[in-house]
Amino acid sequence: MSLLFLVFTLVLALILLTLGGSAITTGRVPVRWIRRYAHPQLWGAGVLVIGIAVGTVRIAPPSIFMVLFLCGLSLLGFAYGASRPKKR
């Protein structure tokens, strides 16, 4: 059962890292239903930090995991609060 959770967390971390990196580099949120509500670079940074937190949950102490996870959540909150860049 522990191996199942290890595989699940690694796959989830890779998905989050891919989504976050894609949003930062392209300037578009890859998830369609979130795209019009969130600022892309802040959303990508938040998801990237949460992906790092999820990827290190097995090896990092709980205090480090919680700091990373809460920083990622705060970046996601800022992404929804910030105004979207204007299209030209």
Side-chain angles (χ1 to χ4, degrees):
M1 194 67 160
S2 180
L3 182 63
L4 175 71
F5 288 124
L6 175 67
V7 170
F8 178 71
T9 56
L10 289 178
V11 168
L12 181 63
L14 287 175
I15 290 170
L16 290 172
L17 290 172
T18 304
L19 289 175
S22 171
I24 289 174
T25 56
T26 62
R28 287 185 62 155
V29 178
V31 182
R32 184 180 197 109
W33 60 89
I34 298 175
R35 188 172 297 155
R36 65 177 163 223
Y37 300 113
H39 190 274
Q41 279 81 21
L42 285 174
W43 188 86
V47 171
L48 199 66
V49 172
I50 290 175
I52 292 170
V54 170
T56 61
V57 71
R58 294 280 195 169
I59 58 174
S63 59
I64 302 295
F65 167 74
M66 286 306 293
V67 167
L68 284 172
F69 193 77
L70 291 176
C71 286
L73 283 180
S74 66
L75 281 170
L76 285 178
F78 288 135
Y80 288 107
S83 62
R84 286 196 39 87
K86 302 211 188 257
K87 294 183 180 180
R88 295 182 180 188

